[in-house]
Amino acid sequence: MASAGDEDLVASKTDGFKVGEKKTVEEYAKLVDQNDESLNRWKASLGISNSPALPVDPKDSRRCVIHSLALETAGRPDITIDLSVPGALESLKSKPFAIKEGAKFRMKANFKVQHDVLSGLKYLQVIKRKGITVSKEEEMLGSYAPNTQDKPIYEKKFAEDEAPAGMMARGHYNAVSKFVDDDDVTHLKFEWSFDIAKDWK
């Protein structure tokens, strides 16, 4: 039996697109061409550098570890969920936070990549109210090399969003979100909830 939101949380596909041949970080690092600025910029965009790799627990097979999620609003402290705290994901669903109607905000995630290059990380989200889907979103977060001592953590800020406003918009919402890559590997999936209110609480 499919779990909540599975049928909606499917990343879009580009016709004819095929994931390229997998390479290790070492293989990518060897792609050196001093005369090819675009290749060197591409490697830099992945975070591939000569900085020493961070130590990785060999028993931890995860390629992407989401450390925290946060809601960022100008002029207010971030609402941050530390996912290393036991029960943090469960509290996201059972303890909704309030968002002021009409407020502009953005989500951001702090995460670590380990073992190998992470290709095409995406964030998918479905929001429902009273069982009816009111919003579906997909955001491409990019590709990343394993973190290094120079870059121990990645932070990605999502596109700015705006909360709905008006009496009809106020109330309780449920959401399901997940982080997935080009290989259709789900790195984190969670349910959460929030309330659209007349003011911040």
Side-chain angles (χ1 to χ4, degrees):
M1 182 176 179
S3 57
D6 275 351
E7 67 281 1
D8 295 318
L9 286 173
V10 178
S12 60
K13 303 288 186 183
T14 302
D15 290 341
F17 172 77
K18 292 183 179 181
V19 177
E21 179 186 354
K22 297 296 177 187
K23 295 182 183 294
T24 65
V25 177
E26 291 76 14
E27 288 173 325
Y28 279 120
K30 289 177 182 177
L31 294 175
V32 177
D33 188 339
Q34 295 180 348
N35 297 318
D36 191 339
E37 291 185 11
S38 62
L39 173 62
N40 295 328
R41 282 198 303 268
W42 175 76
K43 286 171 58 181
S45 73
L46 285 180
I48 294 174
S49 71
N50 294 324
S51 176
L54 291 177
V56 176
D57 182 353
K59 296 180 181 178
D60 186 355
S61 61
R62 295 175 297 173
R63 198 186 316 170
C64 180
V65 182
I66 313 295
H67 285 286
S68 67
L69 299 168
L71 182 79
E72 182 182 78
T73 305
R76 291 184 58 83
D78 293 350
I79 300 172
T80 302
I81 306 298
D82 183 352
L83 298 180
S84 66
V85 175
L89 282 180
E90 290 74 14
S91 69
L92 277 174
K93 184 179 180 182
S94 61
K95 298 178 181 178
F97 54 86
I99 301 175
K100 181 181 179 181
E101 61 179 353
K104 292 183 178 180
F105 63 92
R106 72 172 76 242
M107 297 281 288
K108 64 181 179 181
N110 283 355
F111 59 95
K112 180 176 72 175
V113 175
Q114 54 191 21
H115 299 300
D116 210 345
V117 172
L118 178 65
S119 178
L121 183 64
K122 305 177 187 71
Y123 174 76
L124 309 179
Q125 173 180 283
V126 176
I127 297 176
K128 294 185 178 184
R129 187 179 185 195
K130 298 178 180 179
I132 298 174
T133 298
V134 296
S135 173
K136 290 176 68 174
E137 296 181 23
E138 175 178 336
E139 182 149 356
M140 171 60 79
L141 305 183
S143 299
Y144 300 87
N147 288 91
T148 64
Q149 292 180 15
D150 286 347
K151 186 74 173 178
I153 201 80
Y154 290 115
E155 179 180 85
K156 179 65 178 181
K157 294 187 177 186
F158 298 7
E160 187 177 67
D161 204 348
E162 183 173 345
M167 186 182 300
M168 298 299 292
R170 294 176 207 146
H172 187 71
Y173 294 77
N174 293 303
V176 183
S177 301
K178 76 175 179 179
F179 291 85
V180 62
D181 64 22
D182 277 345
D183 295 318
D184 290 326
V185 175
T186 296
H187 298 283
L188 178 68
K189 180 181 176 183
F190 57 98
E191 296 180 50
W192 54 291
S193 61
F194 62 94
D195 296 323
I196 298 296
K198 199 168 185 178
D199 207 342
W200 294 103
K201 293 182 181 178

PDB file of all heavy atoms in Angstrom, residues 19-47:
ATOM      1  N   VAL A  19      20.201   9.730 -17.353  1.00  0.00           N
ATOM      2  CA  VAL A  19      21.250  10.038 -16.382  1.00  0.00           C
ATOM      3  C   VAL A  19      22.581   9.567 -16.947  1.00  0.00           C
ATOM      4  O   VAL A  19      22.702   8.454 -17.456  1.00  0.00           O
ATOM      5  CB  VAL A  19      20.965   9.347 -15.035  1.00  0.00           C
ATOM      6  CG1 VAL A  19      22.098   9.619 -14.043  1.00  0.00           C
ATOM      7  CG2 VAL A  19      19.637   9.830 -14.476  1.00  0.00           C
ATOM      8  N   GLY A  20      23.579  10.413 -16.883  1.00  0.00           N
ATOM      9  CA  GLY A  20      24.885  10.081 -17.441  1.00  0.00           C
ATOM     10  C   GLY A  20      25.597   8.979 -16.686  1.00  0.00           C
ATOM     11  O   GLY A  20      25.184   8.565 -15.593  1.00  0.00           O
ATOM     12  N   GLU A  21      26.662   8.518 -17.277  1.00  0.00           N
ATOM     13  CA  GLU A  21      27.461   7.460 -16.656  1.00  0.00           C
ATOM     14  C   GLU A  21      28.015   7.940 -15.328  1.00  0.00           C
ATOM     15  O   GLU A  21      28.513   9.059 -15.199  1.00  0.00           O
ATOM     16  CB  GLU A  21      28.625   7.086 -17.588  1.00  0.00           C
ATOM     17  CG  GLU A  21      29.534   6.004 -17.038  1.00  0.00           C
ATOM     18  CD  GLU A  21      30.747   5.762 -17.932  1.00  0.00           C
ATOM     19  OE1 GLU A  21      30.789   6.374 -19.013  1.00  0.00           O
ATOM     20  OE2 GLU A  21      31.619   4.975 -17.537  1.00  0.00           O
ATOM     21  N   LYS A  22      27.899   7.083 -14.313  1.00  0.00           N
ATOM     22  CA  LYS A  22      28.368   7.447 -12.990  1.00  0.00           C
ATOM     23  C   LYS A  22      29.886   7.453 -12.931  1.00  0.00           C
ATOM     24  O   LYS A  22      30.539   6.569 -13.484  1.00  0.00           O
ATOM     25  CB  LYS A  22      27.818   6.473 -11.944  1.00  0.00           C
ATOM     26  CG  LYS A  22      26.303   6.487 -11.832  1.00  0.00           C
ATOM     27  CD  LYS A  22      25.819   7.850 -11.350  1.00  0.00           C
ATOM     28  CE  LYS A  22      24.309   7.907 -11.307  1.00  0.00           C
ATOM     29  NZ  LYS A  22      23.819   9.264 -11.009  1.00  0.00           N
ATOM     30  N   LYS A  23      30.416   8.471 -12.257  1.00  0.00           N
ATOM     31  CA  LYS A  23      31.852   8.550 -12.026  1.00  0.00           C
ATOM     32  C   LYS A  23      32.091   8.800 -10.547  1.00  0.00           C
ATOM     33  O   LYS A  23      31.262   9.390  -9.863  1.00  0.00           O
ATOM     34  CB  LYS A  23      32.482   9.694 -12.838  1.00  0.00           C
ATOM     35  CG  LYS A  23      32.422   9.519 -14.348  1.00  0.00           C
ATOM     36  CD  LYS A  23      33.116  10.678 -15.036  1.00  0.00           C
ATOM     37  CE  LYS A  23      33.003  10.579 -16.553  1.00  0.00           C
ATOM     38  NZ  LYS A  23      33.738   9.413 -17.085  1.00  0.00           N
ATOM     39  N   THR A  24      33.236   8.354 -10.059  1.00  0.00           N
ATOM     40  CA  THR A  24      33.605   8.633  -8.686  1.00  0.00           C
ATOM     41  C   THR A  24      34.151  10.054  -8.587  1.00  0.00           C
ATOM     42  O   THR A  24      34.456  10.690  -9.614  1.00  0.00           O
ATOM     43  CB  THR A  24      34.679   7.650  -8.192  1.00  0.00           C
ATOM     44  OG1 THR A  24      35.876   7.869  -8.956  1.00  0.00           O
ATOM     45  CG2 THR A  24      34.221   6.204  -8.358  1.00  0.00           C
ATOM     46  N   VAL A  25      34.287  10.550  -7.354  1.00  0.00           N
ATOM     47  CA  VAL A  25      34.858  11.877  -7.158  1.00  0.00           C
ATOM     48  C   VAL A  25      36.262  11.932  -7.736  1.00  0.00           C
ATOM     49  O   VAL A  25      36.660  12.920  -8.362  1.00  0.00           O
ATOM     50  CB  VAL A  25      34.886  12.222  -5.651  1.00  0.00           C
ATOM     51  CG1 VAL A  25      35.546  13.572  -5.442  1.00  0.00           C
ATOM     52  CG2 VAL A  25      33.486  12.240  -5.083  1.00  0.00           C
ATOM     53  N   GLU A  26      37.023  10.864  -7.560  1.00  0.00           N
ATOM     54  CA  GLU A  26      38.388  10.817  -8.078  1.00  0.00           C
ATOM     55  C   GLU A  26      38.404  10.926  -9.596  1.00  0.00           C
ATOM     56  O   GLU A  26      39.249  11.608 -10.186  1.00  0.00           O
ATOM     57  CB  GLU A  26      39.083   9.524  -7.640  1.00  0.00           C
ATOM     58  CG  GLU A  26      39.381   9.439  -6.141  1.00  0.00           C
ATOM     59  CD  GLU A  26      38.157   9.126  -5.304  1.00  0.00           C
ATOM     60  OE1 GLU A  26      37.123   8.704  -5.880  1.00  0.00           O
ATOM     61  OE2 GLU A  26      38.224   9.314  -4.077  1.00  0.00           O
ATOM     62  N   GLU A  27      37.457  10.257 -10.246  1.00  0.00           N
ATOM     63  CA  GLU A  27      37.391  10.316 -11.711  1.00  0.00           C
ATOM     64  C   GLU A  27      37.029  11.722 -12.183  1.00  0.00           C
ATOM     65  O   GLU A  27      37.587  12.229 -13.167  1.00  0.00           O
ATOM     66  CB  GLU A  27      36.382   9.297 -12.230  1.00  0.00           C
ATOM     67  CG  GLU A  27      36.879   7.856 -12.115  1.00  0.00           C
ATOM     68  CD  GLU A  27      35.811   6.845 -12.475  1.00  0.00           C
ATOM     69  OE1 GLU A  27      34.624   7.094 -12.183  1.00  0.00           O
ATOM     70  OE2 GLU A  27      36.157   5.807 -13.056  1.00  0.00           O
ATOM     71  N   TYR A  28      36.083  12.366 -11.485  1.00  0.00           N
ATOM     72  CA  TYR A  28      35.736  13.742 -11.845  1.00  0.00           C
ATOM     73  C   TYR A  28      36.935  14.664 -11.647  1.00  0.00           C
ATOM     74  O   TYR A  28      37.211  15.549 -12.462  1.00  0.00           O
ATOM     75  CB  TYR A  28      34.566  14.242 -10.980  1.00  0.00           C
ATOM     76  CG  TYR A  28      33.207  13.782 -11.454  1.00  0.00           C
ATOM     77  CD1 TYR A  28      32.386  13.021 -10.630  1.00  0.00           C
ATOM     78  CD2 TYR A  28      32.732  14.143 -12.713  1.00  0.00           C
ATOM     79  CE1 TYR A  28      31.130  12.605 -11.051  1.00  0.00           C
ATOM     80  CE2 TYR A  28      31.471  13.735 -13.148  1.00  0.00           C
ATOM     81  CZ  TYR A  28      30.677  12.967 -12.308  1.00  0.00           C
ATOM     82  OH  TYR A  28      29.439  12.564 -12.728  1.00  0.00           O
ATOM     83  N   ALA A  29      37.665  14.448 -10.547  1.00  0.00           N
ATOM     84  CA  ALA A  29      38.802  15.316 -10.234  1.00  0.00           C
ATOM     85  C   ALA A  29      39.895  15.228 -11.290  1.00  0.00           C
ATOM     86  O   ALA A  29      40.634  16.181 -11.521  1.00  0.00           O
ATOM     87  CB  ALA A  29      39.367  14.956  -8.859  1.00  0.00           C
ATOM     88  N   LYS A  30      40.003  14.080 -11.942  1.00  0.00           N
ATOM     89  CA  LYS A  30      41.037  13.878 -12.957  1.00  0.00           C
ATOM     90  C   LYS A  30      40.669  14.531 -14.291  1.00  0.00           C
ATOM     91  O   LYS A  30      41.498  14.603 -15.206  1.00  0.00           O
ATOM     92  CB  LYS A  30      41.277  12.381 -13.175  1.00  0.00           C
ATOM     93  CG  LYS A  30      41.986  11.714 -11.991  1.00  0.00           C
ATOM     94  CD  LYS A  30      42.143  10.223 -12.213  1.00  0.00           C
ATOM     95  CE  LYS A  30      42.801   9.547 -11.021  1.00  0.00           C
ATOM     96  NZ  LYS A  30      42.890   8.071 -11.186  1.00  0.00           N
ATOM     97  N   LEU A  31      39.426  14.985 -14.416  1.00  0.00           N
ATOM     98  CA  LEU A  31      39.015  15.659 -15.650  1.00  0.00           C
ATOM     99  C   LEU A  31      39.582  17.080 -15.643  1.00  0.00           C
ATOM    100  O   LEU A  31      38.905  18.059 -15.389  1.00  0.00           O
ATOM    101  CB  LEU A  31      37.486  15.708 -15.745  1.00  0.00           C
ATOM    102  CG  LEU A  31      36.771  14.366 -15.912  1.00  0.00           C
ATOM    103  CD1 LEU A  31      35.266  14.564 -15.872  1.00  0.00           C
ATOM    104  CD2 LEU A  31      37.155  13.729 -17.243  1.00  0.00           C
ATOM    105  N   VAL A  32      40.853  17.172 -15.920  1.00  0.00           N
ATOM    106  CA  VAL A  32      41.545  18.462 -15.861  1.00  0.00           C
ATOM    107  C   VAL A  32      41.901  18.930 -17.271  1.00  0.00           C
ATOM    108  O   VAL A  32      42.489  18.183 -18.048  1.00  0.00           O
ATOM    109  CB  VAL A  32      42.837  18.357 -15.016  1.00  0.00           C
ATOM    110  CG1 VAL A  32      43.568  19.690 -15.028  1.00  0.00           C
ATOM    111  CG2 VAL A  32      42.492  17.942 -13.598  1.00  0.00           C
ATOM    112  N   ASP A  33      41.488  20.126 -17.564  1.00  0.00           N
ATOM    113  CA  ASP A  33      41.859  20.731 -18.843  1.00  0.00           C
ATOM    114  C   ASP A  33      42.034  22.227 -18.597  1.00  0.00           C
ATOM    115  O   ASP A  33      41.074  22.966 -18.465  1.00  0.00           O
ATOM    116  CB  ASP A  33      40.772  20.494 -19.901  1.00  0.00           C
ATOM    117  CG  ASP A  33      41.222  20.943 -21.283  1.00  0.00           C
ATOM    118  OD1 ASP A  33      42.161  21.766 -21.356  1.00  0.00           O
ATOM    119  OD2 ASP A  33      40.641  20.480 -22.274  1.00  0.00           O
ATOM    120  N   GLN A  34      43.273  22.662 -18.539  1.00  0.00           N
ATOM    121  CA  GLN A  34      43.548  24.055 -18.205  1.00  0.00           C
ATOM    122  C   GLN A  34      42.975  25.009 -19.245  1.00  0.00           C
ATOM    123  O   GLN A  34      42.777  26.188 -18.966  1.00  0.00           O
ATOM    124  CB  GLN A  34      45.056  24.267 -18.066  1.00  0.00           C
ATOM    125  CG  GLN A  34      45.672  23.509 -16.898  1.00  0.00           C
ATOM    126  CD  GLN A  34      47.173  23.737 -16.796  1.00  0.00           C
ATOM    127  OE1 GLN A  34      47.783  24.280 -17.706  1.00  0.00           O
ATOM    128  NE2 GLN A  34      47.753  23.322 -15.681  1.00  0.00           N
ATOM    129  N   ASN A  35      42.718  24.507 -20.430  1.00  0.00           N
ATOM    130  CA  ASN A  35      42.198  25.370 -21.486  1.00  0.00           C
ATOM    131  C   ASN A  35      40.677  25.330 -21.590  1.00  0.00           C
ATOM    132  O   ASN A  35      40.099  26.022 -22.412  1.00  0.00           O
ATOM    133  CB  ASN A  35      42.810  24.974 -22.838  1.00  0.00           C
ATOM    134  CG  ASN A  35      44.318  25.161 -22.853  1.00  0.00           C
ATOM    135  OD1 ASN A  35      44.822  26.162 -22.354  1.00  0.00           O
ATOM    136  ND2 ASN A  35      45.033  24.190 -23.419  1.00  0.00           N
ATOM    137  N   ASP A  36      40.049  24.496 -20.779  1.00  0.00           N
ATOM    138  CA  ASP A  36      38.595  24.364 -20.831  1.00  0.00           C
ATOM    139  C   ASP A  36      37.993  25.013 -19.587  1.00  0.00           C
ATOM    140  O   ASP A  36      37.802  24.369 -18.558  1.00  0.00           O
ATOM    141  CB  ASP A  36      38.200  22.886 -20.918  1.00  0.00           C
ATOM    142  CG  ASP A  36      36.717  22.711 -21.240  1.00  0.00           C
ATOM    143  OD1 ASP A  36      35.941  23.673 -20.996  1.00  0.00           O
ATOM    144  OD2 ASP A  36      36.342  21.635 -21.716  1.00  0.00           O
ATOM    145  N   GLU A  37      37.697  26.311 -19.691  1.00  0.00           N
ATOM    146  CA  GLU A  37      37.178  27.040 -18.533  1.00  0.00           C
ATOM    147  C   GLU A  37      35.810  26.516 -18.115  1.00  0.00           C
ATOM    148  O   GLU A  37      35.494  26.485 -16.925  1.00  0.00           O
ATOM    149  CB  GLU A  37      37.101  28.533 -18.850  1.00  0.00           C
ATOM    150  CG  GLU A  37      38.469  29.194 -18.995  1.00  0.00           C
ATOM    151  CD  GLU A  37      38.354  30.688 -19.178  1.00  0.00           C
ATOM    152  OE1 GLU A  37      37.239  31.218 -18.988  1.00  0.00           O
ATOM    153  OE2 GLU A  37      39.368  31.322 -19.505  1.00  0.00           O
ATOM    154  N   SER A  38      34.984  26.116 -19.080  1.00  0.00           N
ATOM    155  CA  SER A  38      33.641  25.644 -18.734  1.00  0.00           C
ATOM    156  C   SER A  38      33.707  24.354 -17.924  1.00  0.00           C
ATOM    157  O   SER A  38      32.932  24.157 -16.977  1.00  0.00           O
ATOM    158  CB  SER A  38      32.796  25.434 -20.001  1.00  0.00           C
ATOM    159  OG  SER A  38      33.379  24.436 -20.832  1.00  0.00           O
ATOM    160  N   LEU A  39      34.634  23.456 -18.280  1.00  0.00           N
ATOM    161  CA  LEU A  39      34.799  22.213 -17.520  1.00  0.00           C
ATOM    162  C   LEU A  39      35.253  22.522 -16.095  1.00  0.00           C
ATOM    163  O   LEU A  39      34.723  21.966 -15.132  1.00  0.00           O
ATOM    164  CB  LEU A  39      35.818  21.302 -18.206  1.00  0.00           C
ATOM    165  CG  LEU A  39      36.223  20.034 -17.434  1.00  0.00           C
ATOM    166  CD1 LEU A  39      35.028  19.141 -17.207  1.00  0.00           C
ATOM    167  CD2 LEU A  39      37.318  19.288 -18.185  1.00  0.00           C
ATOM    168  N   ASN A  40      36.214  23.427 -15.974  1.00  0.00           N
ATOM    169  CA  ASN A  40      36.719  23.763 -14.648  1.00  0.00           C
ATOM    170  C   ASN A  40      35.666  24.470 -13.806  1.00  0.00           C
ATOM    171  O   ASN A  40      35.568  24.245 -12.594  1.00  0.00           O
ATOM    172  CB  ASN A  40      37.983  24.621 -14.769  1.00  0.00           C
ATOM    173  CG  ASN A  40      39.125  23.842 -15.417  1.00  0.00           C
ATOM    174  OD1 ASN A  40      39.229  22.638 -15.259  1.00  0.00           O
ATOM    175  ND2 ASN A  40      39.972  24.546 -16.172  1.00  0.00           N
ATOM    176  N   ARG A  41      34.834  25.317 -14.432  1.00  0.00           N
ATOM    177  CA  ARG A  41      33.745  25.973 -13.696  1.00  0.00           C
ATOM    178  C   ARG A  41      32.721  24.950 -13.254  1.00  0.00           C
ATOM    179  O   ARG A  41      32.179  25.035 -12.150  1.00  0.00           O
ATOM    180  CB  ARG A  41      33.077  27.041 -14.572  1.00  0.00           C
ATOM    181  CG  ARG A  41      33.866  28.336 -14.680  1.00  0.00           C
ATOM    182  CD  ARG A  41      32.987  29.478 -15.171  1.00  0.00           C
ATOM    183  NE  ARG A  41      32.366  29.158 -16.452  1.00  0.00           N
ATOM    184  CZ  ARG A  41      32.905  29.468 -17.634  1.00  0.00           C
ATOM    185  NH1 ARG A  41      34.073  30.083 -17.692  1.00  0.00           N
ATOM    186  NH2 ARG A  41      32.278  29.155 -18.748  1.00  0.00           N
ATOM    187  N   TRP A  42      32.437  23.967 -14.119  1.00  0.00           N
ATOM    188  CA  TRP A  42      31.466  22.917 -13.782  1.00  0.00           C
ATOM    189  C   TRP A  42      31.956  22.108 -12.599  1.00  0.00           C
ATOM    190  O   TRP A  42      31.192  21.815 -11.670  1.00  0.00           O
ATOM    191  CB  TRP A  42      31.244  22.019 -14.999  1.00  0.00           C
ATOM    192  CG  TRP A  42      30.361  20.845 -14.707  1.00  0.00           C
ATOM    193  CD1 TRP A  42      29.000  20.856 -14.569  1.00  0.00           C
ATOM    194  CD2 TRP A  42      30.763  19.492 -14.511  1.00  0.00           C
ATOM    195  NE1 TRP A  42      28.536  19.591 -14.297  1.00  0.00           N
ATOM    196  CE2 TRP A  42      29.593  18.737 -14.260  1.00  0.00           C
ATOM    197  CE3 TRP A  42      31.995  18.838 -14.531  1.00  0.00           C
ATOM    198  CZ2 TRP A  42      29.629  17.372 -14.024  1.00  0.00           C
ATOM    199  CZ3 TRP A  42      32.026  17.482 -14.297  1.00  0.00           C
ATOM    200  CH2 TRP A  42      30.860  16.757 -14.051  1.00  0.00           C
ATOM    201  N   LYS A  43      33.223  21.751 -12.581  1.00  0.00           N
ATOM    202  CA  LYS A  43      33.782  21.000 -11.448  1.00  0.00           C
ATOM    203  C   LYS A  43      33.703  21.823 -10.168  1.00  0.00           C
ATOM    204  O   LYS A  43      33.360  21.306  -9.102  1.00  0.00           O
ATOM    205  CB  LYS A  43      35.233  20.611 -11.734  1.00  0.00           C
ATOM    206  CG  LYS A  43      35.388  19.475 -12.738  1.00  0.00           C
ATOM    207  CD  LYS A  43      36.834  19.290 -13.155  1.00  0.00           C
ATOM    208  CE  LYS A  43      37.727  19.022 -11.984  1.00  0.00           C
ATOM    209  NZ  LYS A  43      39.135  18.854 -12.377  1.00  0.00           N
ATOM    210  N   ALA A  44      33.999  23.112 -10.291  1.00  0.00           N
ATOM    211  CA  ALA A  44      33.924  23.978  -9.115  1.00  0.00           C
ATOM    212  C   ALA A  44      32.493  24.089  -8.605  1.00  0.00           C
ATOM    213  O   ALA A  44      32.249  24.129  -7.398  1.00  0.00           O
ATOM    214  CB  ALA A  44      34.477  25.365  -9.454  1.00  0.00           C
ATOM    215  N   SER A  45      31.515  24.100  -9.533  1.00  0.00           N
ATOM    216  CA  SER A  45      30.110  24.201  -9.124  1.00  0.00           C
ATOM    217  C   SER A  45      29.654  22.969  -8.358  1.00  0.00           C
ATOM    218  O   SER A  45      28.745  23.034  -7.526  1.00  0.00           O
ATOM    219  CB  SER A  45      29.208  24.412 -10.347  1.00  0.00           C
ATOM    220  OG  SER A  45      29.092  23.212 -11.110  1.00  0.00           O
ATOM    221  N   LEU A  46      30.284  21.824  -8.628  1.00  0.00           N
ATOM    222  CA  LEU A  46      29.964  20.595  -7.895  1.00  0.00           C
ATOM    223  C   LEU A  46      30.636  20.572  -6.523  1.00  0.00           C
ATOM    224  O   LEU A  46      30.304  19.735  -5.683  1.00  0.00           O
ATOM    225  CB  LEU A  46      30.432  19.365  -8.685  1.00  0.00           C
ATOM    226  CG  LEU A  46      29.618  18.945  -9.896  1.00  0.00           C
ATOM    227  CD1 LEU A  46      30.249  17.719 -10.536  1.00  0.00           C
ATOM    228  CD2 LEU A  46      28.176  18.642  -9.518  1.00  0.00           C
ATOM    229  N   GLY A  47      31.573  21.456  -6.314  1.00  0.00           N
ATOM    230  CA  GLY A  47      32.302  21.451  -5.050  1.00  0.00           C
ATOM    231  C   GLY A  47      33.524  20.562  -5.075  1.00  0.00           C
ATOM    232  O   GLY A  47      34.098  20.253  -4.030  1.00  0.00           O
TER     233      GLY A  47
END
